[in-house]
Amino acid sequence: MIFPLVSVHEFRRELAQKMNSGALSDAEAFRQALAVDPHDPAASRFLALTAEEASNASLAAQLAHRFIEANPVSHEGYLLLGRVLSDAPLAAAYAALGRKKLHFDPEAQAELGPSDLAEPPAAPDSEPEAVSRELEPHRLLHELFVAGLEAIDASLIDRVLARGADCAPLLLGVLNAYGEDLLSETDDGLVVRALALLGEIGEPAVLPALARFVPLEDDTIGGAARWAFLRIARRLPAEALDVIRRLAIGAEALDLAALAQQLCLMPDTPGRSEVLLSLADNLAEFDKDERDLVIVSMLTSAYVMHGAASEAAAIIETQYGALLSREARKELKSLRAEIEAARQEITESEEPSIYEVCLDGFDVVDAEPFERAEPKLGRNEPCWCGSGKKYKKCHLDADEGR
């Protein structure tokens, strides 16, 4: 679950309390966690390792794959498959990729056994074709990970797109890991490229995941999400409209505002105005500022869609205009003066290509050149000082000289 809901976090805390008190076994607690969130990386990891300990290789492999799709940046699922798969060439391939990932997690190396750290036997001259095909999406994602914030070659994008359907679950896994706070700031390039590639692959099923990133103010990550969402919406408008209709049910004010923005930029599709009007269904549940946000976003979207004579805007004004605060009315008046120019700009603007979004490097906060050639202690890893705290909450600022 990308950016787990508050209710999911609360459920996880309750399970942790029950584990600590002995009311639930660890295994049962993690089974419940996985039932609530099928992409819970901690739960799938624990249950996969438990299955391995119980010598249930088949279940361990199944859960290892599930863990990889929840956090494909981690080495653990790959090393686990290397230990439990009966197909020797396939097991060796997963193990080798796990070791490559392990290079970037020096803390984990100290905790692993000799079998995981041992040098693999000499590889045969040629890998079985079936093994190469299964591993290719994983290897492509690892190339994107290693690139970090640096520029990449167009051929890497082409190879990912050629295996689009097989790469999509791993790209979604990157977004899941980001939402679980398992990535570092130097992985932002990977997140941006995962978002954009999902938009280019173009499956409407990924729109709910992209929508979680659309409201982000960050121009880099949020901008890539908005590009990706519209990339699919412009190619498959009817399907995208149906997804937006479902996403709006019970959504928060900020999410509704983001959906309104996407609606006005996508092609004019039958039912688009009706979906825009439906965004107000939950207004009674919002406070004043949230109501202002939703209503102003809806009106702005209606004017961008249909101009000053927008029938949808007139309906919104009639039904909900009285709820607007004085400040919101003032903002709306200012926006109206800019809408016609914005409509013209939207009409004339050319959509960037996937290569324009993905190929260039990304700025680093401290403006130092970034290289992922050597292992780096992650922001979310235990601090090197042994305090038990995450690195970002302990010595990160001091190490970076802040």
mmCIF file of all heavy atoms in Angstrom, residues 76-98:
data_model
loop_
_atom_site.group_PDB
_atom_site.id
_atom_site.type_symbol
_atom_site.label_atom_id
_atom_site.label_comp_id
_atom_site.label_asym_id
_atom_site.label_seq_id
_atom_site.Cartn_x
_atom_site.Cartn_y
_atom_site.Cartn_z
ATOM 1 N N GLU A 76 17.544 -8.602 0.375
ATOM 2 C CA GLU A 76 17.162 -9.782 1.155
ATOM 3 C C GLU A 76 16.322 -10.789 0.386
ATOM 4 O O GLU A 76 16.538 -12.003 0.478
ATOM 5 C CB GLU A 76 16.435 -9.332 2.421
ATOM 6 C CG GLU A 76 17.329 -8.621 3.406
ATOM 7 C CD GLU A 76 16.589 -8.228 4.659
ATOM 8 O OE1 GLU A 76 15.814 -7.256 4.612
ATOM 9 O OE2 GLU A 76 16.781 -8.894 5.693
ATOM 10 N N GLY A 77 15.340 -10.316 -0.366
ATOM 11 C CA GLY A 77 14.497 -11.248 -1.110
ATOM 12 C C GLY A 77 15.281 -12.020 -2.148
ATOM 13 O O GLY A 77 15.031 -13.208 -2.392
ATOM 14 N N TYR A 78 16.248 -11.363 -2.761
ATOM 15 C CA TYR A 78 17.059 -12.008 -3.795
ATOM 16 C C TYR A 78 17.972 -13.080 -3.204
ATOM 17 O O TYR A 78 18.092 -14.182 -3.746
ATOM 18 C CB TYR A 78 17.867 -10.944 -4.542
ATOM 19 C CG TYR A 78 16.981 -10.020 -5.345
ATOM 20 C CD1 TYR A 78 16.504 -8.831 -4.804
ATOM 21 C CD2 TYR A 78 16.602 -10.344 -6.647
ATOM 22 C CE1 TYR A 78 15.684 -7.988 -5.526
ATOM 23 C CE2 TYR A 78 15.784 -9.512 -7.384
ATOM 24 C CZ TYR A 78 15.322 -8.334 -6.813
ATOM 25 O OH TYR A 78 14.487 -7.517 -7.537
ATOM 26 N N LEU A 79 18.597 -12.743 -2.083
ATOM 27 C CA LEU A 79 19.449 -13.748 -1.442
ATOM 28 C C LEU A 79 18.621 -14.937 -0.947
ATOM 29 O O LEU A 79 19.077 -16.082 -1.003
ATOM 30 C CB LEU A 79 20.215 -13.117 -0.285
ATOM 31 C CG LEU A 79 21.286 -12.084 -0.656
ATOM 32 C CD1 LEU A 79 21.955 -11.531 0.602
ATOM 33 C CD2 LEU A 79 22.332 -12.688 -1.584
ATOM 34 N N LEU A 80 17.427 -14.654 -0.467
ATOM 35 C CA LEU A 80 16.562 -15.731 0.003
ATOM 36 C C LEU A 80 16.198 -16.666 -1.147
ATOM 37 O O LEU A 80 16.248 -17.900 -1.002
ATOM 38 C CB LEU A 80 15.299 -15.148 0.644
ATOM 39 C CG LEU A 80 14.228 -16.148 1.104
ATOM 40 C CD1 LEU A 80 14.833 -17.177 2.057
ATOM 41 C CD2 LEU A 80 13.074 -15.418 1.770
ATOM 42 N N LEU A 81 15.855 -16.118 -2.307
ATOM 43 C CA LEU A 81 15.559 -16.965 -3.460
ATOM 44 C C LEU A 81 16.783 -17.779 -3.855
ATOM 45 O O LEU A 81 16.662 -18.935 -4.275
ATOM 46 C CB LEU A 81 15.088 -16.104 -4.640
ATOM 47 C CG LEU A 81 13.683 -15.520 -4.519
ATOM 48 C CD1 LEU A 81 13.383 -14.595 -5.692
ATOM 49 C CD2 LEU A 81 12.629 -16.628 -4.446
ATOM 50 N N GLY A 82 17.953 -17.176 -3.704
ATOM 51 C CA GLY A 82 19.175 -17.919 -3.998
ATOM 52 C C GLY A 82 19.353 -19.123 -3.094
ATOM 53 O O GLY A 82 19.994 -20.110 -3.475
ATOM 54 N N ARG A 83 18.781 -19.059 -1.883
ATOM 55 C CA ARG A 83 18.932 -20.175 -0.934
ATOM 56 C C ARG A 83 17.857 -21.247 -1.088
ATOM 57 O O ARG A 83 18.100 -22.409 -0.779
ATOM 58 C CB ARG A 83 18.899 -19.636 0.502
ATOM 59 C CG ARG A 83 20.048 -18.700 0.846
ATOM 60 C CD ARG A 83 20.140 -18.451 2.341
ATOM 61 N NE ARG A 83 18.948 -17.830 2.908
ATOM 62 C CZ ARG A 83 18.766 -16.522 3.057
ATOM 63 N NH1 ARG A 83 19.717 -15.675 2.646
ATOM 64 N NH2 ARG A 83 17.670 -16.041 3.607
ATOM 65 N N VAL A 84 16.650 -20.864 -1.541
ATOM 66 C CA VAL A 84 15.534 -21.826 -1.467
ATOM 67 C C VAL A 84 15.094 -22.381 -2.824
ATOM 68 O O VAL A 84 14.397 -23.405 -2.873
ATOM 69 C CB VAL A 84 14.312 -21.197 -0.756
ATOM 70 C CG1 VAL A 84 14.679 -20.762 0.655
ATOM 71 C CG2 VAL A 84 13.727 -20.033 -1.561
ATOM 72 N N LEU A 85 15.458 -21.743 -3.917
ATOM 73 C CA LEU A 85 15.013 -22.247 -5.214
ATOM 74 C C LEU A 85 15.746 -23.537 -5.563
ATOM 75 O O LEU A 85 16.958 -23.660 -5.349
ATOM 76 C CB LEU A 85 15.252 -21.205 -6.313
ATOM 77 C CG LEU A 85 14.337 -19.970 -6.280
ATOM 78 C CD1 LEU A 85 14.769 -18.977 -7.355
ATOM 79 C CD2 LEU A 85 12.882 -20.358 -6.466
ATOM 80 N N SER A 86 15.027 -24.487 -6.130
ATOM 81 C CA SER A 86 15.636 -25.776 -6.503
ATOM 82 C C SER A 86 16.308 -25.714 -7.863
ATOM 83 O O SER A 86 17.160 -26.558 -8.172
ATOM 84 C CB SER A 86 14.573 -26.875 -6.501
ATOM 85 O OG SER A 86 13.510 -26.553 -7.403
ATOM 86 N N ASP A 87 15.904 -24.766 -8.706
ATOM 87 C CA ASP A 87 16.529 -24.586 -10.017
ATOM 88 C C ASP A 87 17.874 -23.896 -9.802
ATOM 89 O O ASP A 87 17.946 -22.698 -9.518
ATOM 90 C CB ASP A 87 15.613 -23.723 -10.889
ATOM 91 C CG ASP A 87 16.141 -23.518 -12.298
ATOM 92 O OD1 ASP A 87 17.366 -23.452 -12.471
ATOM 93 O OD2 ASP A 87 15.316 -23.407 -13.232
ATOM 94 N N ALA A 88 18.964 -24.644 -9.927
ATOM 95 C CA ALA A 88 20.290 -24.129 -9.570
ATOM 96 C C ALA A 88 20.699 -22.886 -10.355
ATOM 97 O O ALA A 88 21.170 -21.902 -9.767
ATOM 98 C CB ALA A 88 21.335 -25.230 -9.737
ATOM 99 N N PRO A 89 20.550 -22.871 -11.695
ATOM 100 C CA PRO A 89 20.933 -21.651 -12.425
ATOM 101 C C PRO A 89 20.096 -20.432 -12.018
ATOM 102 O O PRO A 89 20.619 -19.323 -11.907
ATOM 103 C CB PRO A 89 20.704 -22.020 -13.891
ATOM 104 C CG PRO A 89 20.774 -23.515 -13.923
ATOM 105 C CD PRO A 89 20.190 -23.962 -12.622
ATOM 106 N N LEU A 90 18.806 -20.660 -11.786
ATOM 107 C CA LEU A 90 17.935 -19.551 -11.396
ATOM 108 C C LEU A 90 18.305 -19.058 -9.996
ATOM 109 O O LEU A 90 18.371 -17.845 -9.743
ATOM 110 C CB LEU A 90 16.473 -19.997 -11.437
ATOM 111 C CG LEU A 90 15.415 -18.908 -11.218
ATOM 112 C CD1 LEU A 90 15.523 -17.826 -12.283
ATOM 113 C CD2 LEU A 90 14.012 -19.528 -11.224
ATOM 114 N N ALA A 91 18.539 -19.984 -9.094
ATOM 115 C CA ALA A 91 18.936 -19.620 -7.733
ATOM 116 C C ALA A 91 20.240 -18.824 -7.754
ATOM 117 O O ALA A 91 20.387 -17.818 -7.053
ATOM 118 C CB ALA A 91 19.092 -20.873 -6.874
ATOM 119 N N ALA A 92 21.187 -19.263 -8.566
ATOM 120 C CA ALA A 92 22.474 -18.572 -8.648
ATOM 121 C C ALA A 92 22.311 -17.157 -9.185
ATOM 122 O O ALA A 92 22.987 -16.223 -8.735
ATOM 123 C CB ALA A 92 23.432 -19.362 -9.532
ATOM 124 N N ALA A 93 21.406 -16.997 -10.138
ATOM 125 C CA ALA A 93 21.195 -15.671 -10.732
ATOM 126 C C ALA A 93 20.591 -14.713 -9.714
ATOM 127 O O ALA A 93 21.014 -13.549 -9.609
ATOM 128 C CB ALA A 93 20.288 -15.796 -11.954
ATOM 129 N N TYR A 94 19.605 -15.192 -8.961
ATOM 130 C CA TYR A 94 19.003 -14.327 -7.923
ATOM 131 C C TYR A 94 20.036 -14.004 -6.842
ATOM 132 O O TYR A 94 20.121 -12.871 -6.366
ATOM 133 C CB TYR A 94 17.789 -15.009 -7.311
ATOM 134 C CG TYR A 94 16.506 -14.766 -8.073
ATOM 135 C CD1 TYR A 94 15.872 -15.805 -8.758
ATOM 136 C CD2 TYR A 94 15.916 -13.510 -8.098
ATOM 137 C CE1 TYR A 94 14.698 -15.591 -9.463
ATOM 138 C CE2 TYR A 94 14.734 -13.286 -8.805
ATOM 139 C CZ TYR A 94 14.128 -14.327 -9.480
ATOM 140 O OH TYR A 94 12.968 -14.108 -10.175
ATOM 141 N N ALA A 95 20.818 -14.990 -6.450
ATOM 142 C CA ALA A 95 21.825 -14.762 -5.410
ATOM 143 C C ALA A 95 22.865 -13.746 -5.865
ATOM 144 O O ALA A 95 23.293 -12.873 -5.089
ATOM 145 C CB ALA A 95 22.494 -16.079 -5.035
ATOM 146 N N ALA A 96 23.273 -13.845 -7.126
ATOM 147 C CA ALA A 96 24.283 -12.916 -7.646
ATOM 148 C C ALA A 96 23.754 -11.484 -7.636
ATOM 149 O O ALA A 96 24.477 -10.541 -7.276
ATOM 150 C CB ALA A 96 24.680 -13.325 -9.059
ATOM 151 N N LEU A 97 22.479 -11.309 -8.004
ATOM 152 C CA LEU A 97 21.902 -9.972 -7.983
ATOM 153 C C LEU A 97 21.759 -9.470 -6.543
ATOM 154 O O LEU A 97 21.983 -8.289 -6.258
ATOM 155 C CB LEU A 97 20.540 -9.971 -8.692
ATOM 156 C CG LEU A 97 19.852 -8.612 -8.822
ATOM 157 C CD1 LEU A 97 20.772 -7.567 -9.454
ATOM 158 C CD2 LEU A 97 18.569 -8.753 -9.633
ATOM 159 N N GLY A 98 21.414 -10.380 -5.637
ATOM 160 C CA GLY A 98 21.334 -10.000 -4.226
ATOM 161 C C GLY A 98 22.667 -9.503 -3.701
ATOM 162 O O GLY A 98 22.727 -8.542 -2.926
#
